[in-house]
Short mmCIF file of all heavy atoms in Angstrom, two decimals:
data_model
loop_
_atom_site.label_atom_id
_atom_site.label_comp_id
_atom_site.label_asym_id
_atom_site.label_seq_id
_atom_site.Cartn_x
_atom_site.Cartn_y
_atom_site.Cartn_z
N THR O 929 -2.28 47.72 12.81
CA THR O 929 -2.96 46.63 12.12
C THR O 929 -2.04 45.93 11.28
O THR O 929 -2.06 44.63 11.19
CB THR O 929 -4.09 47.23 11.27
OG1 THR O 929 -4.99 47.95 12.24
CG2 THR O 929 -4.98 46.16 10.56
N LYS O 930 -1.16 46.66 10.63
CA LYS O 930 -0.24 46.02 9.66
C LYS O 930 0.81 45.16 10.48
O LYS O 930 1.16 44.07 10.06
CB LYS O 930 0.59 47.11 8.97
CG LYS O 930 1.57 46.64 7.94
CD LYS O 930 2.28 47.77 7.22
CE LYS O 930 3.28 47.27 6.16
NZ LYS O 930 3.91 48.33 5.42
N LEU O 935 2.59 39.60 12.15
CA LEU O 935 2.79 38.56 13.21
C LEU O 935 1.86 37.40 12.99
O LEU O 935 2.23 36.30 13.18
CB LEU O 935 2.53 39.24 14.49
CG LEU O 935 3.61 40.32 14.99
CD1 LEU O 935 3.06 40.95 16.31
CD2 LEU O 935 4.94 39.71 15.19
N HIS O 943 2.99 27.35 12.24
CA HIS O 943 2.08 26.20 12.44
C HIS O 943 2.16 25.28 11.24
O HIS O 943 2.07 24.00 11.35
CB HIS O 943 0.63 26.70 12.68
CG HIS O 943 0.56 27.34 14.02
ND1 HIS O 943 0.80 26.62 15.34
CD2 HIS O 943 0.10 28.58 14.50
CE1 HIS O 943 0.58 27.34 16.32
NE2 HIS O 943 0.18 28.47 15.97
N LEU O 978 -3.19 -4.86 5.16
CA LEU O 978 -2.07 -3.97 5.63
C LEU O 978 -2.60 -2.53 5.61
O LEU O 978 -2.25 -1.66 6.37
CB LEU O 978 -0.80 -4.00 4.71
CG LEU O 978 -0.12 -5.36 4.73
CD1 LEU O 978 1.04 -5.34 3.70
CD2 LEU O 978 0.48 -5.48 6.06
N SER O 979 -3.49 -2.22 4.65
CA SER O 979 -3.98 -0.85 4.42
C SER O 979 -4.82 -0.37 5.68
O SER O 979 -5.06 0.75 5.91
CB SER O 979 -4.83 -0.71 3.13
OG SER O 979 -5.98 -1.39 3.35
N SER O 980 -5.32 -1.41 6.44
CA SER O 980 -6.13 -1.07 7.60
C SER O 980 -5.29 -0.86 8.86
O SER O 980 -5.85 -0.56 9.90
CB SER O 980 -7.24 -2.16 7.73
OG SER O 980 -6.60 -3.41 8.12
N ALA O 994 -0.34 0.06 -11.00
CA ALA O 994 -1.59 0.72 -10.64
C ALA O 994 -2.69 -0.22 -9.97
O ALA O 994 -2.48 -1.37 -10.19
CB ALA O 994 -2.33 1.38 -11.95
N HIS O 998 -10.68 -3.98 -8.46
CA HIS O 998 -11.23 -4.68 -7.24
C HIS O 998 -10.46 -4.23 -6.02
O HIS O 998 -10.93 -4.58 -5.01
CB HIS O 998 -11.18 -6.25 -7.41
CG HIS O 998 -9.75 -6.84 -7.42
ND1 HIS O 998 -9.02 -6.96 -8.58
CD2 HIS O 998 -9.06 -7.25 -6.33
CE1 HIS O 998 -7.95 -7.53 -8.37
NE2 HIS O 998 -7.85 -7.70 -7.01
N ALA O 1003 -7.45 1.50 -2.51
CA ALA O 1003 -6.37 1.95 -3.40
C ALA O 1003 -5.62 3.15 -2.75
O ALA O 1003 -4.47 3.30 -3.00
CB ALA O 1003 -6.83 2.26 -4.72
N LEU O 1009 3.41 1.04 -7.17
CA LEU O 1009 4.57 1.30 -7.94
C LEU O 1009 4.82 0.26 -9.10
O LEU O 1009 4.38 -0.88 -8.94
CB LEU O 1009 5.84 1.23 -7.05
CG LEU O 1009 5.81 2.20 -5.85
CD1 LEU O 1009 7.10 2.07 -5.05
CD2 LEU O 1009 5.75 3.69 -6.36
N LEU O 1023 12.57 -0.70 -1.85
CA LEU O 1023 13.04 -1.58 -0.73
C LEU O 1023 13.81 -0.84 0.42
O LEU O 1023 14.00 -1.40 1.51
CB LEU O 1023 13.82 -2.69 -1.21
CG LEU O 1023 13.12 -3.73 -2.14
CD1 LEU O 1023 14.08 -4.75 -2.75
CD2 LEU O 1023 11.99 -4.46 -1.35
N PRO O 1037 0.08 -24.06 -9.87
CA PRO O 1037 0.61 -25.43 -10.02
C PRO O 1037 -0.15 -26.29 -11.00
O PRO O 1037 -0.86 -27.25 -10.60
CB PRO O 1037 0.59 -25.95 -8.62
CG PRO O 1037 -0.48 -25.40 -7.93
CD PRO O 1037 -0.57 -23.97 -8.46
N ILE O 1038 0.04 -26.06 -12.20
CA ILE O 1038 -0.61 -26.80 -13.32
C ILE O 1038 0.34 -27.34 -14.34
O ILE O 1038 1.49 -26.80 -14.41
CB ILE O 1038 -1.70 -26.05 -14.01
CG1 ILE O 1038 -1.14 -24.75 -14.51
CG2 ILE O 1038 -2.89 -25.66 -13.05
CD1 ILE O 1038 -2.02 -23.86 -15.37
N ALA O 1048 8.66 -18.32 -13.71
CA ALA O 1048 7.60 -17.56 -13.13
C ALA O 1048 7.50 -17.65 -11.48
O ALA O 1048 7.17 -16.73 -10.77
CB ALA O 1048 6.34 -17.86 -13.76
N GLY O 1072 3.66 -20.01 -0.97
CA GLY O 1072 3.74 -21.27 -1.93
C GLY O 1072 2.45 -21.91 -1.78
O GLY O 1072 1.38 -21.30 -1.65
N ASP O 1080 4.48 -32.90 -7.82
CA ASP O 1080 5.74 -32.25 -8.12
C ASP O 1080 6.07 -32.69 -9.57
O ASP O 1080 6.73 -31.99 -10.23
CB ASP O 1080 6.83 -32.78 -7.18
CG ASP O 1080 6.79 -32.04 -5.89
OD1 ASP O 1080 5.87 -31.14 -5.69
OD2 ASP O 1080 7.71 -32.16 -4.98
N GLY O 1104 16.53 -15.36 11.36
CA GLY O 1104 15.11 -15.65 11.84
C GLY O 1104 14.07 -14.78 11.12
O GLY O 1104 12.94 -14.70 11.56
N ASP O 1158 -1.19 -37.31 0.65
CA ASP O 1158 -0.67 -36.35 1.57
C ASP O 1158 -0.76 -34.99 1.10
O ASP O 1158 -0.37 -34.58 -0.01
CB ASP O 1158 0.82 -36.55 1.86
CG ASP O 1158 1.29 -35.70 3.05
OD1 ASP O 1158 0.53 -35.30 3.89
OD2 ASP O 1158 2.54 -35.57 3.07
#
Side-chain angles (χ1 to χ4, degrees):
T929 302
K930 186 176 180 180
L935 291 175
H943 287 303
L978 291 176
S979 69
S980 66
H998 65 273
L1009 302 178
L1023 293 174
I1038 56 176
D1080 280 9
D1158 190 25

